[in-house]
Amino acid sequence: MLVIMQTAPTEEECGRVEAAIRDMGFTPLRVPGADRTAICVTGNRGPVDPSFLIRLPGVARCIPVTKPFKLVSREVHPADTVVEIGGVAVGGPDPVVVAGPCSVETEARTVEIARALRAANADLFRARLGSEGVGPYHFAGVGEEGLHTLERVREETGIPVITEIADPRTAERVAERVDAVEIAGRHMENEALLEIAGGLAVPVILERGPSATVEEWLMAAESLLAREKRDVVLCERGIRTGGQRRTLLDLHGVPVVRRMSHLPVLVDPSHAVAERDRVRPLARAALSAGASGIAIAVHTHPDTAYTDPMQTVDVPTFEGIQRDRAKIREFEAI
Amino acid sequence: MLVIMQTAPTEEECGRVEAAIRDMGFTPLRVPGADRTAICVTGNRGPVDPSFLIRLPGVARCIPVTKPFKLVSREVHPADTVVEIGGVAVGGPDPVVVAGPCSVETEARTVEIARALRAANADLFRARLGSEGVGPYHFAGVGEEGLHTLERVREETGIPVITEIADPRTAERVAERVDAVEIAGRHMENEALLEIAGGLAVPVILERGPSATVEEWLMAAESLLAREKRDVVLCERGIRTGGQRRTLLDLHGVPVVRRMSHLPVLVDPSHAVAERDRVRPLARAALSAGASGIAIAVHTHPDTAYTDPMQTVDVPTFEGIQRDRAKIREFEAI
Amino acid sequence: MLVIMQTAPTEEECGRVEAAIRDMGFTPLRVPGADRTAICVTGNRGPVDPSFLIRLPGVARCIPVTKPFKLVSREVHPADTVVEIGGVAVGGPDPVVVAGPCSVETEARTVEIARALRAANADLFRARLGSEGVGPYHFAGVGEEGLHTLERVREETGIPVITEIADPRTAERVAERVDAVEIAGRHMENEALLEIAGGLAVPVILERGPSATVEEWLMAAESLLAREKRDVVLCERGIRTGGQRRTLLDLHGVPVVRRMSHLPVLVDPSHAVAERDRVRPLARAALSAGASGIAIAVHTHPDTAYTDPMQTVDVPTFEGIQRDRAKIREFEAI
Amino acid sequence: MLVIMQTAPTEEECGRVEAAIRDMGFTPLRVPGADRTAICVTGNRGPVDPSFLIRLPGVARCIPVTKPFKLVSREVHPADTVVEIGGVAVGGPDPVVVAGPCSVETEARTVEIARALRAANADLFRARLGSEGVGPYHFAGVGEEGLHTLERVREETGIPVITEIADPRTAERVAERVDAVEIAGRHMENEALLEIAGGLAVPVILERGPSATVEEWLMAAESLLAREKRDVVLCERGIRTGGQRRTLLDLHGVPVVRRMSHLPVLVDPSHAVAERDRVRPLARAALSAGASGIAIAVHTHPDTAYTDPMQTVDVPTFEGIQRDRAKIREFEAI
């Protein structure tokens, strides 16, 4: 913490700030400047709460110096974290491809899709049990019964399965039957869910909230790591902006967060775009920007998908994305 | 739904769209234009899913005509809804003032604050049981034990009490012991919580999510009204923008939402501003813009408040806000 | 400038940073911490360019301490600036009301409006000569010929007149014939225009750019003050956000900028709202939030206004706004 | 235009709307629905101004059907536009690479950079004559004298040169001496500049404004095409969002705008990122997303670049970007 004094503070004002810093158990260090006097707070081992200091006479601003998160930070843990989901390494040198319909559908249809994805070399299968959004007029999802369908997918194809947790009352039961769970962006700051997720035996994929900064996203992940959870994967899936698209896929954020944190970062272009024909260019771009993998909504009959048909691609498009991945693997490391 | 055809569609393309509309059980109506042909979908009683139509050959765009919400809408229910919280009318001609510390503190301190607020004519008392935000480094809140403190506040002062619900596992227990519950902005799209809230016996205050549009906020409220819940109050508390403030209090939204919906709209300036001295001007402005009331973080010793001290005002400032309210009551109705 | 070193920097790394600071002519001051070492740059009289320091080995971040602007800042100039426009004080204890049609229309219609506004006690008259927006399909404005109409308005009613400057080739000619000029938000960062504006004899009203932070807005104003221009007025007129409104009137920004700067701040609710019936509530709220005045689009026949008819209010609504202003004058000072 | 009537409009209300549409010279077509009656405006050849209709009794909303732009639209001109800059095709099958220092520096340094870029196969050379931003404390640029330096670059290396126009008073003189001009994002809505640009003999690169939607950007381009200017190139360079980065490079926008418009779209990752090490991943991603080319700030001695040194890459990094481009050329067309 750096306390910036107003122009020409009195000695008494500076002294009172220094005394307050000492009262907090820290050591003040005065930095006189031409225009400004600043007083550094030293000796602290984490962020200092500025509430009290900012209100002292003569104080202009308090500037935090220590970043609010530690455990997720690359400075603390320089090597990339690699998370195993059902034996598939996420965050290693090879980007992974997660695929599946948006929602679990009937067992027959869901297994048919999974077989097509297996043939097209998808690494992981993902489908949602619950509703796609808020409001009384949506498809509510198949609910917990879909877990049986996901188990059938794994049996039939051998692909590890992932689904969403959204309710603290059922999250543990869901997690017992899949290979990883996902927390949707709109639950990124759902503390009850994060608390449970921090204790699960399977990896947790944490989507970025639609208006969360990278710092807030990392802070939500920090609350998982602070519960000794190590197998956490981040997932970018579009943020809100001033434009007319519902969400904007923040590929710019990929190198930003890769540099700040050691956690793997997936990108889900399907849920960020409104139209099918943008999925492949953005999947390419995500992998090119250095994402640890991509998550794609794919269906054998996308026009009749239960949810999100407009953004769901067909299997031939998915095969094209897989060929793109192969090309991108030839890129130089940077 | 209005289906806009691409420039110069063929008769076959138009015919296929019309057939598809008939297959959905609706009636197509062709609107030929100079540049454009449009085909209206008529006979539908709610929003039409455009997924299938948009993919037909020759279709350029689909424009929804029916708004996605009904029950919250002023068109369906022209008169203002008035919600009673412990006998206090919210949404009537007189704006209400909700006040309290951000978090429940010790019983002694909390009751002391409540007495001061009673003396200053606060209508409703609000304090949070849980954490102020996400991450492992926050004050976690007093938890359910604070309910006893809130009951003591009500006994001692007679002011009805409000607290937050954030966890579906405890929401019903909490609701039994207070006069109204609040759902924080970051839980606006927490379906499990909304589902429970829709069945509670006490009124629900629904904060706007920090990146929610007015339409999405009303849609979350719609999901409460769709469960026969009638006593719903909206609360604006700041949204995300491109600027450097953490949140921007959207007073512009007050007349916007008041016109679209019959539900009362509170404004919470305290949680949107970073600094204490902005609370009173924005409280004034909120009431002047037509809010149904304001919610203010007040403390007898704001510098030592357990949470959010920087934005918490003292009792004399709160008394000033009450004098402002009295002045604003003299405004002409518009 | 505060240079934050990465965790556990070597003595050599710290030494190299200190040497670089000395090379820039400043004095380094090392601040050892538990987790972090920081090195303060002292002795500088303005912002320090961090480009070079950030690239030295061992440096994690550079944090600016000196704010980028000075002349507009309340710290440098604590008293409110009062700007005289044709004898009307803007920024004094009494808020002003600017009114007029969006665009100059025919002389007869424009003078008719001005007479009605004079009768309703408008302080200043404003109307645009040019186009309302970009693109080939807009009304292009009456152009410089409208200056004669504005002069007639002043003769007939005695109200000082304001118009927009938007082209460096004509700005000086325009400024000679009016009492103040306005720079629209979309020209806030038009350096050529700011350069000319800095040398004009009449006051300059500088609108905030639609995505400008308060800091960037003040920096644009700083470039006027740096040219010895003192009579500068700020004008908030809506910013971009993630919502569905074209712009959001940032009333929250009024107390923020009033505290940071000594310059007067007008609010233009008309151009931020899409609909007429929101103008009066937001005008009230702007004055309640502490604006130095408001600017309202008014017309004797708003439905036939040449530009922006949907947001233009009629004269009786304007009279209501004036009655609101009278009530708000009775508020306590805060 | 589609006029949506309020629930249960009277026959008189509908009749009045139909009469008003006929008065405007168009033909009304009534569309009765279960909940809603809509009245289509047909026979119009461009956008209809809704101002008058929206105010008629019984009207709920007016929905525009005709898009506001035509000439830039892919519907009107399905084939990709290819723009020649000094003999280099922009918008053809091969993506181009624009490179150069942010600002023209001394002749010796600038020519040295250009030679290195020629050796590294840059297609086009770009450097600014003016200031990098607003405010009195920036490097003001070399001004028009830099044109001679740019001419020397062309002579020495044969690379076509591009610079920015920002002032209507000098734009034509500048354009005479370079191969293309660029309009910065902050001038995207500078009508005076667009008017001149529409008449220039050389191609115009139009950057997207930092808070402009894709639609507004295309509308600014439309105003060039409406002046018979055909050789227009778009350039994405970062937009404002709710996050903490100054700008966010909108790669998502590339496939969006490529589908809407036939104009070439460059991406400038350098000006959108704050740090050098993000330039190459985002350059890769931009080309992968389908950009017509990229514009990169490169310097032989980036740490001492006159402007923007933090985001300026060195020549070896640029050579890596060129190798990436070669790989991306092998991608399948989609």
Side-chain angles (χ1 to χ4, degrees):
Chain A
M1 175 71 56
L2 193 66
V3 181
I4 312 295
M5 303 300 292
Q6 285 168 0
T7 313
T10 64
E11 178 53 38
E12 195 196 330
E13 287 168 344
C14 292
R16 216 175 310 169
V17 169
E18 290 167 336
I21 292 169
R22 277 190 211 98
D23 283 354
M24 295 161 97
F26 308 133
T27 307
L29 178 67
R30 199 182 299 190
V31 186
D35 280 350
R36 287 288 191 194
T37 294
I39 300 172
C40 295
V41 179
T42 72
N44 53 308
R45 295 208 145 267
V48 174
D49 183 343
S51 316
F52 184 54
L53 295 170
I54 188 72
R55 311 228 65 89
L56 291 176
V59 173
R61 282 177 303 143
C62 290
I63 299 178
V65 167
T66 309
K67 286 256 177 185
F69 43 83
K70 288 182 190 290
L71 305 170
V72 298
S73 146
R74 197 174 273 283
E75 268 187 86
V76 168
H77 183 298
D80 286 351
T81 284
V82 178
V83 173
E84 296 266 327
I85 298 181
V88 174
V90 181
D94 239 28
V96 298
V97 173
V98 184
C102 287
S103 298
V104 173
E105 304 195 350
T106 63
E107 186 176 308
R109 276 167 68 109
T110 309
V111 170
E112 178 195 292
I113 296 166
R115 284 192 178 126
L117 293 174
R118 162 48 90 211
N121 293 315
D123 299 303
L124 296 164
F125 184 87
R126 182 184 68 169
R128 201 165 39 204
L129 302 173
S131 156
E132 68 178 302
V134 164
Y137 311 125
H138 283 293
F139 171 61
V142 296
E144 283 187 63
E145 287 171 34
L147 288 168
H148 179 72
T149 303
L150 290 172
E151 287 167 334
R152 288 277 298 132
V153 161
R154 187 166 41 190
E155 269 168 49
E156 289 284 322
T157 64
I159 312 183
V161 295
I162 304 169
T163 198
E164 186 185 349
I165 53 170
D167 186 336
R169 295 169 299 179
T170 58
E172 285 161 321
R173 281 204 304 277
V174 169
E176 280 166 16
R177 296 170 68 184
V178 294
D179 297 287
V181 294
E182 183 168 61
I183 294 177
R186 67 179 179 284
H187 291 290
M188 191 196 87
E189 298 204 326
N190 182 334
E191 303 92 333
L193 205 57
L194 290 172
E195 185 197 313
I196 290 171
L200 295 178
V202 293
V204 174
I205 300 172
L206 180 65
E207 285 189 355
R208 178 177 178 188
S211 65
T213 62
V214 164
E215 287 75 13
E216 290 163 337
W217 189 19
L218 291 176
M219 197 47 146
E222 180 90 359
S223 73
L224 295 172
L225 271 70
R227 290 187 174 85
E228 308 288 325
K229 181 92 195 138
R230 294 289 170 227
D231 43 358
V232 173
V233 176
L234 302 170
C235 183
E236 161 65 34
R237 49 142 296 155
I239 57 169
R240 285 302 173 89
T241 72
Q244 286 170 357
R245 272 164 278 157
R246 195 178 174 285
T247 52
L248 180 150
L249 190 67
D250 180 15
L251 296 181
H252 187 159
V254 172
V256 171
V257 77
R258 292 286 284 162
R259 188 178 177 195
M260 290 171 78
S261 176
H262 53 88
L263 296 175
V265 184
L266 299 178
V267 172
D268 177 344
S270 296
H271 285 83
V273 299
E275 308 211 21
R276 229 174 258 185
D277 58 1
R278 290 171 201 163
V279 172
R280 189 171 171 192
L282 290 172
R284 268 184 186 180
L287 292 173
S288 300
S292 313
I294 48 177
I296 307 288
V298 193
H299 201 290
T300 45
H301 301 91
D303 285 340
T304 64
Y306 286 13
T307 53
D308 294 333
M310 294 185 61
Q311 74 208 31
T312 298
V313 299
D314 57 17
V315 174
T317 302
F318 181 70
E319 291 166 343
I321 291 171
Q322 291 283 46
R323 291 191 300 275
D324 293 342
R325 166 165 70 151
K327 266 273 162 255
I328 290 165
R329 276 191 184 125
E330 300 170 12
F331 277 3
E332 289 170 27
I334 43 175
Chain B
M1 176 71 56
L2 192 66
V3 182
I4 311 294
M5 302 302 290
Q6 285 168 0
T7 313
T10 64
E11 178 52 38
E12 195 196 332
E13 286 168 344
C14 292
R16 217 175 310 170
V17 168
E18 289 167 337
I21 292 168
R22 276 189 214 98
D23 283 355
M24 295 162 98
F26 308 133
T27 307
L29 178 66
R30 198 182 301 189
V31 185
D35 281 349
R36 288 287 191 194
T37 294
I39 300 173
C40 295
V41 179
T42 72
N44 53 309
R45 296 207 145 267
V48 173
D49 183 341
S51 316
F52 185 55
L53 296 170
I54 189 74
R55 310 228 65 90
L56 291 176
V59 173
R61 281 179 301 146
C62 289
I63 299 177
V65 168
T66 309
K67 287 254 176 186
F69 44 82
K70 287 182 191 292
L71 305 171
V72 298
S73 147
R74 197 174 272 283
E75 267 187 86
V76 168
H77 184 298
D80 286 352
T81 284
V82 178
V83 173
E84 296 266 327
I85 299 181
V88 174
V90 181
D94 240 27
V96 298
V97 173
V98 184
C102 286
S103 299
V104 172
E105 306 196 349
T106 62
E107 186 176 309
R109 276 167 69 108
T110 310
V111 169
E112 178 194 291
I113 296 166
R115 282 192 180 126
L117 293 174
R118 162 47 91 211
N121 292 315
D123 298 304
L124 297 163
F125 184 87
R126 182 184 69 170
R128 204 164 37 202
L129 301 173
S131 156
E132 71 177 300
V134 164
Y137 311 125
H138 283 292
F139 170 61
V142 296
E144 283 188 62
E145 287 171 34
L147 287 168
H148 179 71
T149 303
L150 290 173
E151 287 168 335
R152 288 276 297 132
V153 160
R154 187 168 39 192
E155 270 168 49
E156 289 284 323
T157 64
I159 311 183
V161 295
I162 304 169
T163 198
E164 187 185 347
I165 54 170
D167 186 335
R169 295 169 300 181
T170 57
E172 284 161 323
R173 280 204 304 278
V174 169
E176 281 166 15
R177 296 170 67 185
V178 294
D179 298 289
V181 296
E182 183 168 61
I183 295 177
R186 67 179 180 283
H187 291 290
M188 191 197 87
E189 297 204 327
N190 183 333
E191 304 91 334
L193 204 58
L194 291 172
E195 186 197 312
I196 290 170
L200 295 177
V202 294
V204 174
I205 300 172
L206 180 66
E207 285 189 356
R208 179 176 176 187
S211 64
T213 62
V214 164
E215 286 75 12
E216 291 163 337
W217 188 20
L218 290 177
M219 197 48 146
E222 180 89 1
S223 74
L224 295 173
L225 272 69
R227 289 186 175 88
E228 308 288 325
K229 181 94 195 135
R230 294 290 170 225
D231 42 359
V232 173
V233 175
L234 302 169
C235 183
E236 160 66 35
R237 50 145 293 155
I239 57 169
R240 285 303 173 88
T241 73
Q244 286 168 357
R245 272 163 281 158
R246 192 177 177 286
T247 52
L248 179 150
L249 190 68
D250 179 15
L251 295 181
H252 186 159
V254 172
V256 171
V257 77
R258 293 285 284 161
R259 190 181 176 190
M260 289 171 79
S261 176
H262 53 88
L263 297 175
V265 184
L266 298 179
V267 172
D268 178 344
S270 296
H271 285 83
V273 299
E275 309 210 21
R276 229 174 259 185
D277 59 2
R278 289 171 202 163
V279 172
R280 189 172 171 192
L282 290 172
R284 266 184 189 180
L287 293 173
S288 299
S292 313
I294 48 177
I296 307 289
V298 193
H299 202 290
T300 44
H301 301 91
D303 285 340
T304 64
Y306 285 14
T307 54
D308 295 333
M310 294 186 61
Q311 74 208 30
T312 299
V313 300
D314 58 16
V315 175
T317 303
F318 181 70
E319 291 166 343
I321 292 172
Q322 290 282 45
R323 290 192 299 275
D324 292 343
R325 168 166 66 153
K327 265 275 162 253
I328 290 165
R329 276 192 184 124
E330 299 170 12
F331 277 4
E332 288 171 29
I334 43 175
Chain C
M1 176 72 56
L2 192 67
V3 181
I4 312 294
M5 302 301 291
Q6 284 169 1
T7 312
T10 64
E11 177 54 37
E12 194 196 331
E13 287 168 345
C14 291
R16 215 173 313 169
V17 169
E18 289 167 337
I21 292 169
R22 275 190 213 97
D23 284 354
M24 295 161 98
F26 308 134
T27 307
L29 177 67
R30 199 183 298 191
V31 185
D35 282 349
R36 287 287 189 195
T37 295
I39 301 172
C40 295
V41 179
T42 71
N44 53 308
R45 296 207 146 266
V48 173
D49 184 341
S51 315
F52 184 55
L53 296 170
I54 189 73
R55 311 229 65 89
L56 290 176
V59 173
R61 281 177 303 144
C62 290
I63 299 178
V65 168
T66 309
K67 287 256 176 183
F69 43 81
K70 288 183 191 289
L71 304 171
V72 298
S73 146
R74 196 173 273 284
E75 269 186 86
V76 169
H77 184 298
D80 286 351
T81 285
V82 177
V83 173
E84 296 267 329
I85 299 181
V88 174
V90 181
D94 239 27
V96 298
V97 173
V98 183
C102 287
S103 299
V104 173
E105 305 196 349
T106 61
E107 186 177 309
R109 274 166 71 109
T110 309
V111 170
E112 177 195 291
I113 295 166
R115 284 192 179 126
L117 293 174
R118 163 47 91 212
N121 293 314
D123 299 304
L124 297 163
F125 184 88
R126 182 184 69 170
R128 204 164 36 205
L129 301 173
S131 156
E132 69 177 302
V134 165
Y137 311 126
H138 283 292
F139 170 62
V142 295
E144 283 187 64
E145 289 172 33
L147 288 168
H148 179 72
T149 302
L150 290 172
E151 288 168 334
R152 288 276 298 131
V153 161
R154 187 168 38 192
E155 269 168 49
E156 289 284 323
T157 65
I159 312 183
V161 295
I162 304 170
T163 198
E164 187 186 347
I165 54 170
D167 186 337
R169 296 169 297 180
T170 57
E172 284 162 322
R173 280 204 304 277
V174 169
E176 280 165 17
R177 296 170 66 184
V178 294
D179 298 286
V181 295
E182 183 168 60
I183 295 178
R186 67 180 180 284
H187 291 290
M188 192 198 86
E189 297 203 329
N190 182 334
E191 303 92 334
L193 205 56
L194 290 172
E195 186 198 313
I196 290 171
L200 295 178
V202 293
V204 174
I205 300 173
L206 180 65
E207 285 190 355
R208 179 177 177 187
S211 64
T213 62
V214 164
E215 286 76 12
E216 291 163 336
W217 188 19
L218 291 177
M219 197 47 146
E222 181 89 358
S223 73
L224 295 172
L225 272 69
R227 289 187 174 86
E228 309 288 324
K229 181 94 194 135
R230 295 289 171 225
D231 43 359
V232 173
V233 175
L234 303 169
C235 182
E236 160 66 34
R237 51 142 295 154
I239 58 170
R240 285 301 173 90
T241 72
Q244 286 170 356
R245 272 164 279 156
R246 193 175 176 287
T247 52
L248 180 150
L249 190 67
D250 180 14
L251 295 182
H252 186 160
V254 173
V256 171
V257 77
R258 291 286 283 162
R259 190 180 174 192
M260 290 171 77
S261 176
H262 53 88
L263 296 176
V265 183
L266 298 178
V267 172
D268 177 344
S270 296
H271 285 83
V273 299
E275 310 211 19
R276 230 174 258 187
D277 59 2
R278 291 172 201 162
V279 172
R280 189 172 171 192
L282 290 172
R284 268 185 186 179
L287 293 173
S288 300
S292 314
I294 48 177
I296 308 288
V298 193
H299 201 290
T300 44
H301 301 92
D303 286 340
T304 63
Y306 285 14
T307 54
D308 295 332
M310 295 185 62
Q311 73 209 29
T312 299
V313 300
D314 57 16
V315 174
T317 303
F318 180 69
E319 291 166 342
I321 291 171
Q322 291 282 46
R323 290 192 300 275
D324 293 342
R325 167 165 68 152
K327 266 273 161 256
I328 290 165
R329 276 191 185 127
E330 299 170 14
F331 277 4
E332 289 170 30
I334 44 174
Chain D
M1 176 71 56
L2 192 66
V3 181
I4 312 294
M5 302 301 291
Q6 286 169 0
T7 312
T10 63
E11 178 53 38
E12 194 196 332
E13 287 168 344
C14 293
R16 217 175 311 171
V17 169
E18 289 167 337
I21 292 168
R22 276 190 212 98
D23 283 355
M24 295 162 96
F26 308 133
T27 307
L29 178 67
R30 198 183 300 190
V31 186
D35 282 349
R36 288 286 189 195
T37 295
I39 301 172
C40 295
V41 179
T42 72
N44 53 307
R45 295 207 147 267
V48 174
D49 183 341
S51 317
F52 184 55
L53 295 169
I54 188 72
R55 310 227 67 88
L56 290 176
V59 172
R61 281 178 303 145
C62 290
I63 299 178
V65 168
T66 309
K67 287 257 177 184
F69 44 81
K70 287 182 191 291
L71 305 171
V72 298
S73 147
R74 196 174 273 284
E75 269 187 83
V76 168
H77 184 298
D80 286 351
T81 284
V82 178
V83 172
E84 297 266 328
I85 299 181
V88 174
V90 181
D94 239 27
V96 298
V97 174
V98 183
C102 286
S103 298
V104 173
E105 305 195 349
T106 62
E107 186 176 310
R109 276 167 70 108
T110 309
V111 169
E112 178 195 291
I113 296 167
R115 283 191 180 128
L117 292 174
R118 161 49 90 212
N121 293 314
D123 299 303
L124 296 164
F125 184 87
R126 182 185 67 170
R128 205 165 35 204
L129 302 173
S131 155
E132 71 177 299
V134 165
Y137 311 126
H138 284 292
F139 170 62
V142 296
E144 283 187 64
E145 289 172 33
L147 288 168
H148 178 71
T149 303
L150 290 172
E151 287 168 336
R152 288 276 297 131
V153 161
R154 188 168 39 192
E155 268 168 50
E156 289 285 322
T157 66
I159 312 183
V161 295
I162 304 169
T163 199
E164 186 185 348
I165 53 170
D167 186 336
R169 296 168 298 181
T170 57
E172 284 162 323
R173 281 204 304 277
V174 169
E176 280 166 15
R177 295 170 66 184
V178 293
D179 298 288
V181 295
E182 183 168 60
I183 294 177
R186 67 180 179 283
H187 291 290
M188 191 196 87
E189 298 204 328
N190 182 333
E191 304 91 335
L193 205 57
L194 291 171
E195 186 198 313
I196 290 171
L200 295 177
V202 293
V204 174
I205 300 173
L206 180 65
E207 286 189 354
R208 179 176 176 187
S211 63
T213 62
V214 164
E215 286 76 13
E216 290 163 337
W217 188 19
L218 291 176
M219 197 48 148
E222 180 89 0
S223 74
L224 294 172
L225 272 70
R227 289 186 174 88
E228 308 288 324
K229 180 92 195 137
R230 294 288 170 226
D231 42 359
V232 173
V233 175
L234 302 170
C235 182
E236 161 65 34
R237 48 144 297 155
I239 57 170
R240 286 301 174 88
T241 73
Q244 286 169 357
R245 272 164 279 158
R246 194 176 174 285
T247 52
L248 179 150
L249 189 68
D250 180 14
L251 296 181
H252 187 160
V254 173
V256 172
V257 77
R258 292 286 283 161
R259 189 180 176 192
M260 289 170 79
S261 176
H262 52 89
L263 297 175
V265 183
L266 299 178
V267 172
D268 177 344
S270 297
H271 285 84
V273 300
E275 309 210 21
R276 230 174 256 187
D277 59 2
R278 290 172 201 162
V279 173
R280 189 171 171 193
L282 291 173
R284 268 184 185 180
L287 292 173
S288 300
S292 312
I294 47 177
I296 308 289
V298 193
H299 202 290
T300 44
H301 302 91
D303 286 339
T304 63
Y306 286 13
T307 54
D308 295 333
M310 295 186 61
Q311 74 208 30
T312 298
V313 301
D314 57 17
V315 175
T317 302
F318 180 70
E319 290 166 344
I321 292 171
Q322 290 283 43
R323 291 191 299 276
D324 293 342
R325 167 164 70 152
K327 264 278 162 252
I328 289 165
R329 277 191 183 126
E330 300 170 13
F331 277 3
E332 289 170 28
I334 45 175

